[in-house]
Coordinates of all heavy atoms in Angstrom, one line a residue:
D112 N 36.9 54.0 48.1 CA 36.1 54.8 49.0 C 35.1 54.1 49.7 O 34.8 54.3 50.8 CB 35.4 55.7 47.9 CG 36.1 57.0 47.5 OD1 36.9 57.5 48.4 OD2 36.0 57.4 46.4
Q113 N 34.5 53.1 49.1 CA 33.3 52.4 49.7 C 33.8 51.6 50.9 O 33.2 51.4 51.9 CB 32.7 51.5 48.7 CG 31.7 52.3 47.8 CD 31.4 51.4 46.4 OE1 31.8 50.2 46.4 NE2 30.7 52.0 45.6
V114 N 35.0 51.0 50.6 CA 35.5 50.1 51.7 C 35.9 50.9 52.8 O 35.6 50.7 54.2 CB 36.8 49.3 51.2 CG1 37.7 48.6 52.2 CG2 36.4 48.4 50.1
F115 N 36.6 52.1 52.6 CA 37.1 52.9 53.7 C 35.8 53.6 54.4 O 35.9 53.7 55.7 CB 38.0 54.0 53.2 CG 39.3 53.6 52.6 CD1 39.8 54.2 51.6 CD2 40.1 52.5 53.2 CE1 41.1 53.7 50.9 CE2 41.2 52.0 52.6 CZ 41.6 52.6 51.5
D116 N 34.8 53.9 53.8 CA 33.6 54.4 54.4 C 33.0 53.4 55.3 O 32.5 53.6 56.3 CB 32.7 55.0 53.3 CG 33.1 56.1 52.6 OD1 34.1 56.8 53.1 OD2 32.6 56.5 51.5
E117 N 33.0 52.1 54.8 CA 32.4 51.1 55.7 C 33.2 50.9 56.8 O 32.5 50.6 58.0 CB 32.4 49.8 54.8 CG 31.4 48.8 55.1 CD 30.0 49.1 54.9 OE1 29.6 50.1 54.2 OE2 29.2 48.4 55.7
L118 N 34.6 50.9 56.8 CA 35.3 50.8 58.0 C 35.2 51.8 58.9 O 35.0 51.7 60.2 CB 36.8 50.8 57.5 CG 37.3 49.5 56.8 CD1 38.8 49.8 56.2 CD2 37.5 48.3 57.9
R119 N 35.0 53.1 58.4 CA 34.7 54.3 59.3 C 33.4 54.1 60.1 O 33.2 54.4 61.2 CB 34.6 55.5 58.5 CG 36.1 56.1 58.0 CD 36.6 57.0 59.3 NE 38.1 57.2 58.9 CZ 39.0 56.7 59.5 NH1 38.9 56.0 60.6 NH2 40.3 57.0 59.2
K120 N 32.5 53.5 59.3 CA 31.1 53.3 60.0 C 31.3 52.6 61.4 O 30.5 52.8 62.2 CB 30.3 52.5 58.9 CG 28.9 52.3 59.3 CD 28.1 51.9 58.0 CE 27.4 50.6 58.4 NZ 27.0 49.9 57.2
Y121 N 32.3 51.7 61.4 CA 32.5 50.9 62.5 C 33.7 51.4 63.4 O 34.2 50.7 64.3 CB 32.7 49.5 62.3 CG 31.5 48.8 61.6 CD1 31.6 48.5 60.2 CD2 30.4 48.4 62.2 CE1 30.6 47.9 59.5 CE2 29.3 47.8 61.6 CZ 29.4 47.6 60.2 OH 28.3 46.9 59.6
Q122 N 34.1 52.6 63.1 CA 35.4 53.1 63.7 C 36.6 52.2 63.7 O 37.3 52.0 64.7 CB 35.1 53.4 65.2 CG 34.3 54.9 65.4 CD 32.8 54.5 65.8 OE1 32.6 53.6 66.5 NE2 32.0 55.2 65.2
I123 N 36.7 51.6 62.6 CA 37.9 50.6 62.4 C 38.9 51.5 61.4 O 38.5 52.0 60.4 CB 37.6 49.4 61.6 CG1 36.5 48.7 62.4 CG2 38.8 48.6 61.5 CD1 35.9 47.4 61.7
E124 N 40.1 51.7 62.0 CA 41.1 52.4 61.3 C 41.8 51.5 60.3 O 42.2 50.4 60.4 CB 42.2 52.6 62.5 CG 43.2 53.7 62.1 CD 42.9 55.2 62.1 OE1 42.0 55.6 62.9 OE2 43.1 55.7 61.1
P125 N 41.8 52.1 59.0 CA 42.4 51.3 58.0 C 44.0 51.4 58.0 O 44.5 52.4 58.4 CB 41.9 51.7 56.7 CG 41.3 53.1 56.9 CD 41.1 53.3 58.5
L126 N 44.7 50.3 57.9 CA 46.2 50.2 57.7 C 46.3 49.8 56.2 O 46.1 48.6 55.9 CB 46.8 49.3 58.8 CG 48.3 49.0 58.6 CD1 49.2 50.3 58.7 CD2 48.7 48.0 59.7
V127 N 46.9 50.6 55.4 CA 46.9 50.3 53.9 C 48.2 50.0 53.4 O 49.2 50.9 53.4 CB 46.1 51.6 53.0 CG1 46.2 51.2 51.6 CG2 44.7 51.7 53.7
T128 N 48.4 48.9 52.8 CA 49.6 48.6 52.1 C 49.4 49.1 50.8 O 48.5 48.8 50.0 CB 49.9 47.0 52.1 OG1 49.6 46.5 53.4 CG2 51.2 46.7 51.8
I129 N 50.5 49.8 50.2 CA 50.3 50.4 48.9 C 50.6 49.4 47.9 O 50.1 49.3 46.7 CB 51.2 51.7 48.8 CG1 50.8 52.7 49.9 CG2 51.1 52.2 47.3 CD1 51.8 53.8 50.0
S130 N 51.6 48.5 48.2 CA 52.0 47.4 47.2 C 52.2 46.1 48.0 O 53.3 46.0 48.6 CB 53.2 47.8 46.3 OG 53.6 46.9 45.5
H131 N 51.3 45.1 47.9 CA 51.4 43.9 48.4 C 51.6 42.9 47.6 O 50.6 42.3 46.9 CB 50.2 43.6 49.4 CG 50.4 42.5 50.3 ND1 50.2 42.5 51.7 CD2 50.8 41.1 50.0 CE1 50.4 41.3 52.2 NE2 50.8 40.5 51.3
Y132 N 52.8 42.5 47.3 CA 53.2 41.4 46.4 C 52.4 41.4 45.0 O 52.0 40.3 44.4 CB 52.9 40.0 47.1 CG 54.0 39.6 48.1 CD1 53.7 38.6 48.9 CD2 55.2 40.3 48.1 CE1 54.8 38.3 49.9 CE2 56.1 40.0 49.1 CZ 55.9 39.0 49.9 OH 56.8 38.7 51.0
E133 N 52.3 42.6 44.4 CA 51.7 42.7 43.0 C 52.1 44.1 42.5 O 52.3 45.0 43.2 CB 50.2 42.4 43.1 CG 49.5 43.1 44.1 CD 48.8 44.4 43.9 OE1 48.8 44.6 42.5 OE2 48.2 45.1 44.7
M134 N 52.2 44.0 41.2 CA 52.2 45.4 40.5 C 51.7 45.0 39.1 O 51.4 43.8 38.8 CB 53.7 45.6 40.3 CG 54.6 44.7 39.4 SD 56.4 45.1 39.5 CE 56.4 46.7 39.0
P135 N 51.4 46.0 38.2 CA 50.9 45.6 37.0 C 51.9 44.7 36.1 O 53.1 45.0 36.0 CB 50.8 47.0 36.2 CG 50.6 48.1 37.4 CD 51.5 47.5 38.5
F136 N 51.1 43.6 35.6 CA 51.9 42.7 34.9 C 52.7 43.3 33.7 O 53.7 43.0 33.4 CB 51.1 41.5 34.4 CG 52.1 40.3 33.8 CD1 53.0 39.7 34.6 CD2 51.9 40.1 32.6 CE1 53.8 38.7 34.1 CE2 52.7 39.1 31.9 CZ 53.6 38.3 32.8
Y137 N 51.9 44.2 33.2 CA 52.5 45.1 32.1 C 53.8 45.7 32.2 O 54.7 45.7 31.4 CB 51.5 46.3 31.7 CG 51.9 47.1 30.6 CD1 51.6 46.8 29.3 CD2 52.6 48.3 30.7 CE1 51.9 47.5 28.1 CE2 53.0 49.1 29.7 CZ 52.6 48.8 28.4 OH 52.9 49.6 27.4
L138 N 54.0 46.1 33.6 CA 55.4 46.7 33.9 C 56.4 45.6 34.1 O 57.7 45.9 33.8 CB 55.3 47.6 35.2 CG 54.3 48.6 35.2 CD1 54.3 49.4 36.5 CD2 54.6 49.6 34.1
T139 N 55.9 44.3 34.4 CA 57.0 43.2 34.3 C 57.4 43.1 32.8 O 58.6 42.8 32.6 CB 56.4 42.0 34.9 OG1 56.3 42.2 36.4 CG2 57.0 40.8 34.6
E140 N 56.5 43.0 31.9 CA 56.8 42.7 30.6 C 57.7 43.8 29.9 O 58.6 43.6 29.3 CB 55.5 42.6 29.8 CG 54.7 41.3 30.0 CD 53.5 41.3 29.2 OE1 52.6 42.1 29.5 OE2 53.3 40.3 28.3
K141 N 57.3 45.1 30.3 CA 58.0 46.3 29.7 C 59.3 46.5 30.2 O 60.2 46.9 29.6 CB 57.0 47.5 29.5 CG 57.6 48.5 28.8 CD 56.5 49.6 28.4 CE 57.1 50.8 27.8 NZ 56.2 51.8 27.6
Y142 N 59.3 46.4 31.5 CA 60.5 47.0 32.2 C 61.2 45.9 33.1 O 62.2 46.2 33.8 CB 60.1 48.1 33.3 CG 59.5 49.4 32.5 CD1 58.2 49.5 32.6 CD2 60.2 50.3 31.7 CE1 57.6 50.6 31.9 CE2 59.7 51.4 31.1 CZ 58.3 51.5 31.2 OH 57.8 52.6 30.7
N143 N 60.8 44.7 33.0 CA 61.3 43.7 33.9 C 61.1 44.1 35.5 O 62.1 44.0 36.2 CB 62.8 43.2 33.8 CG 63.0 41.9 34.2 OD1 62.1 41.1 34.6 ND2 64.3 41.5 34.2
G144 N 60.0 44.7 35.6 CA 59.6 45.1 37.1 C 60.5 46.1 37.6 O 60.7 47.1 36.8

Side-chain angles (χ1 to χ4, degrees):
D112 269 325
Q113 289 161 2
V114 170
F115 297 141
D116 290 347
E117 201 66 19
L118 288 167
R119 280 277 167 253
K120 191 166 119 188
Y121 299 104
Q122 285 101 47
I123 300 175
E124 191 72 47
L126 169 62
V127 177
T128 318
I129 300 170
S130 178
H131 190 125
Y132 284 169
E133 43 100 7
M134 68 191 297
F136 187 66
Y137 181 83
L138 301 182
T139 285
E140 286 179 301
K141 185 161 176 191
Y142 299 107
N143 204 11

